C-alpha cells in the first residue's frame, strides 16, 4: 500500500447524537485524535433536549473537520441517513455517540481495506459499561486478521453479533449509493446488513479491539417489548431471501431456525391478542411465506410445520407452543 496515497483518502465518520451529553465529549475526543488525518466528522444532532447540541457546536467551533447538523428528532436511522446524504468521503464509518474508538481506528481499518482490496473492513469490539468496566457479552466474538469471502461472512453472522451491527466497520462509499437505514425500526442494523454484504466480494477482518461499545441499559434495545420488535423477524426473513438469491441454500436452514426462535422469544412476550398486533402478525406471516417461497425443500419437517403455523395461524400457533412448553415442564 502506498502510504502517501492512503493519506489522501477522505473518510466520513457519521455520528448520530441524541441526549448523550454524559458520553459525547469522550466520543468526539476519540475521533479528533485519529491518526488518519483526512477525515470529516459528520455529527447529526437528532433533536437533543439536553446539552448535547451545545457540545456538538463547541467541537465544530474548535475543529473544522467537525460538521454539525441539527434536525428534528427522527430516530437513529433518520440521523444516520442524514449523515449519509451529505457525506463526501470515499469511505464511511458509523460511530454511536455513547461509544468511542481507538486513535488508529480509521487508519488500521483503511489499511486493511486497501491492502486486501475488500469492500468492507470490520474490527473486534471492546465491551464495557458506562464507567469503563469490562462487560462480558458473549455474542461479540473476537475477529481474526484475515480476509473472508462473502459466503463465510454470511455464515459467521449467525453466531457473531459484531458481523451485523453498523458500527465497528469501514465501508466503501458506493455500498450506500442506493441503500439507507429503514426509519422507525429498532433493528435497523440487522435490516440492512445483508443488503450491504450482498454487494461485497470480500471483507477484511481486523483483530484489534479498536471500537469500544458501551452497554447502556437506557438504550432502545433494552426497552419494553412491543410490535416494533417484530422488525428482527422481518430482517431474518429478508436475509433468507438474500441467501437464496446468492445461491447460499445451505445457510437457509440455519437462519430459518434463528427466525423461528426470534418469533417465539419476541412475539410471545408481547400482547399478541391485541387487535393491532394480530394484524401485524398476519402481515408478517405473509412476508415470511413470500420470502421463504420455494425453499421448503431446504428445510426440515419440523421447520416447515413451525413456519406453517407462523404464516397461517400465528395466534393459534403461539397458544399451542405455550401449552407444549407447560407440558414439558410438568
Amino acid at each position: 500500500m502506498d502510504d502517501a496515497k492512503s493519506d489522501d483518502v477522505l473518510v466520513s465518520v457519521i455520528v448520530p447524537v441524541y441526549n448523550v451529553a454524559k458520553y459525547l465529549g469522550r466520543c468526539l475526543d476519540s475521533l479528533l485524535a485519529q491518526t488518519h488525518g483526512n477525515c470529516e466528522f459528520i455529527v447529526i444532532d437528532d433533536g437533543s433536549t439536553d446539552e448535547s447540541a451545545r457540545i456538538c457546536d463547541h467541537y465544530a467551533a474548535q475543529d473544522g473537520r467537525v460538521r454539525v447538523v441539527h434536525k428534528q428528532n427522527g430516530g437513529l436511522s433518520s440521523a444516520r441517513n442524514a449523515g449519509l446524504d451529505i457525506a463526501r468521503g470515499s469511505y464511511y464509518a458509523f460511530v454511536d455517540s455513547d461509544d468511542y474508538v481507538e486513535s488508529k481506528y480509521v487508519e488500521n481499518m483503511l489499511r486493511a481495506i486497501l491492502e486486501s482490496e475488500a469492500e468492507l473492513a470490520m474490527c473486534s469490539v471492546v465491551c464495557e459499561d458506562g464507567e469503563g468496566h469490562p462487560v462480558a457479552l458473549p455474542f461479540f466474538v473476537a475477529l481474526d486478521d484475515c480476509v473472508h469471502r462473502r459466503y463465510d461472512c454470511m455464515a459467521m453472522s449467525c453466531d457473531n453479533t459484531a458481523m451485523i451491527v453498523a458500527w465497528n466497520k469501514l465501508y466503501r462509499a458506493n455500498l450506500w449509493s442506493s441503500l439507507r437505514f429503514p426509519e422507525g425500526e429498532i433493528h435497523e442494523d440487522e435490516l440492512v446488513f445483508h443488503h450491504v454484504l450482498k454487494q461485497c466480494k470480500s471483507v477484511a477482518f481486523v483483530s484489534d479491539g479498536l471500537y469500544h461499545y458501551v452497554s447502556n441499559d437506557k438504550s432502545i434495545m433494552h426497552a419494553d417489548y412491543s410490535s416494533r420488535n417484530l422488525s428482527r423477524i422481518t430482517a431474518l426473513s429478508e436475509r433468507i431471501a438474500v441467501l437464496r438469491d446468492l445461491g447460499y441454500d445451505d445457510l437457509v436452514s440455519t437462519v430459518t431456525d434463528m427466525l423461528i426462535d426470534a418469533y417465539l422469544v419476541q412475539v410471545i412476550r408481547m400482547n399478541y391478542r391485541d387487535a393491532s398486533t394480530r394484524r401485524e402478525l398476519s402481515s408478517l406471516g405473509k412476508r415470511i411465506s413470500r420470502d421463504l417461497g420455494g425453499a421448503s425443500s431446504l428445510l426440515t419437517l419440523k421447520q416447515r410445520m413451525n413456519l406453517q403455523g407462523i404464516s397461517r395461524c400465528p395466534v393459534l400457533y403461539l397458544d399451542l407452543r405455550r401449552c407444549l412448553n407447560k407440558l414439558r415442564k410438568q
Side-chain angles (χ1 to χ4, degrees):
M1 179 188 64
D2 186 336
D3 289 336
K5 181 179 179 181
S6 67
D7 289 343
D8 293 335
V9 175
L10 177 62
V11 175
S12 299
V13 182
I14 298 169
V15 185
V17 173
Y18 180 71
N19 288 357
V20 287
K22 179 179 178 180
Y23 304 109
L24 183 55
R26 178 179 62 184
C27 175
L28 296 178
D29 284 340
S30 75
L31 293 176
L32 295 182
Q34 289 304 296
T35 53
H36 180 76
N38 198 12
C39 293
E40 63 170 4
F41 305 110
I42 303 174
V43 182
I44 308 296
D45 168 35
D46 191 40
S48 296
T49 57
D50 66 355
E51 289 295 301
S52 295
R54 184 190 62 77
I55 295 171
C56 292
D57 290 338
H58 171 76
Y59 275 85
Q62 299 299 314
D63 195 310
R65 294 175 296 169
V66 179
R67 302 168 61 196
V68 176
V69 173
H70 298 286
K71 62 182 287 295
Q72 188 174 20
N73 179 254
L76 179 59
S77 290
S78 174
R80 286 176 175 167
N81 290 341
L84 286 168
D85 289 343
I86 63 172
R88 300 176 296 201
S90 299
Y91 294 87
Y92 299 161
F94 301 99
V95 175
D96 284 355
S97 50
D98 48 357
D99 299 337
Y100 64 103
V101 295
E102 294 291 326
S103 61
K104 290 192 174 183
Y105 176 70
V106 172
E107 178 187 345
N108 288 4
M109 299 273 272
L110 181 60
R111 178 185 293 112
I113 284 185
L114 295 178
E115 288 182 347
S116 65
E117 298 184 351
E119 293 85 1
L120 171 67
M122 65 177 72
C123 67
S124 294
V125 176
V126 178
C127 302
E128 56 192 58
D129 63 20
E131 304 305 318
H133 303 123
V135 174
L137 296 177
F139 42 82
F140 285 116
V141 181
L143 306 178
D144 53 0
D145 284 308
C146 189
V147 179
H148 288 282
R149 297 175 303 143
R150 175 178 58 207
Y151 171 87
D152 298 326
C153 294
M154 285 288 194
M156 285 185 282
S157 70
C158 299
D159 302 313
N160 191 347
T161 300
M163 298 290 300
I164 63 172
V165 293
W167 37 266
N168 88 314
K169 296 174 176 63
L170 186 66
Y171 308 80
R172 283 190 182 179
N174 63 352
L175 296 176
W176 295 94
S177 58
S178 59
L179 181 64
R180 290 294 185 269
F181 290 95
E183 299 188 14
E185 305 288 355
I186 61 173
H187 290 277
E188 60 285 317
D189 292 5
E190 196 163 2
L191 283 161
V192 301
F193 150 78
H194 39 269
H195 297 298
V196 171
L197 199 51
K198 185 178 181 180
Q199 303 175 69
C200 300
K201 293 180 180 179
S202 61
V203 177
F205 284 18
V206 178
S207 63
D208 295 336
L210 301 173
Y211 191 100
H212 291 257
Y213 167 74
V214 180
S215 180
N216 181 2
D217 288 339
K218 295 182 180 180
S219 71
I220 193 166
M221 296 304 295
H222 292 85
D224 292 338
Y225 270 69
S226 71
S227 61
R228 296 180 67 198
N229 290 82
L230 295 176
S231 61
R232 179 161 195 265
I233 303 165
T234 299
L236 290 167
S237 181
E238 291 180 355
R239 193 191 305 188
I240 290 170
V242 169
L243 291 173
R244 297 197 65 216
D245 286 344
L246 292 170
Y248 299 163
D249 289 353
D250 57 317
L251 299 179
V252 168
S253 181
T254 300
V255 181
T256 298
D257 278 336
M258 294 171 62
L259 184 152
I260 293 169
D261 288 345
Y263 193 94
L264 293 173
V265 168
Q266 302 202 44
V267 179
I268 209 164
R269 293 176 64 181
M270 296 162 46
N271 178 18
Y272 61 86
R273 296 190 180 281
D274 175 75
S276 62
T277 302
R278 286 202 306 271
R279 286 193 295 271
E280 290 189 65
L281 289 175
S282 177
S283 176
L284 180 60
K286 293 176 182 177
R287 173 189 286 272
I288 293 171
S289 180
R290 182 181 70 245
D291 289 345
L292 271 71
S296 60
S297 62
L298 307 173
L299 308 177
T300 65
L301 175 60
K302 181 180 179 181
Q303 288 175 326
R304 293 198 297 269
M305 291 177 64
N306 277 308
L307 290 170
Q308 285 289 326
I310 289 171
S311 62
R312 292 175 182 254
C313 305
V315 175
L316 177 60
Y317 168 79
L318 290 167
D319 282 338
L320 288 172
R321 291 299 302 241
R322 276 188 162 175
C323 289
L324 288 172
N325 288 337
K326 287 180 180 179
L327 287 173
R328 291 192 185 102
K329 293 177 181 178
Q330 290 179 354

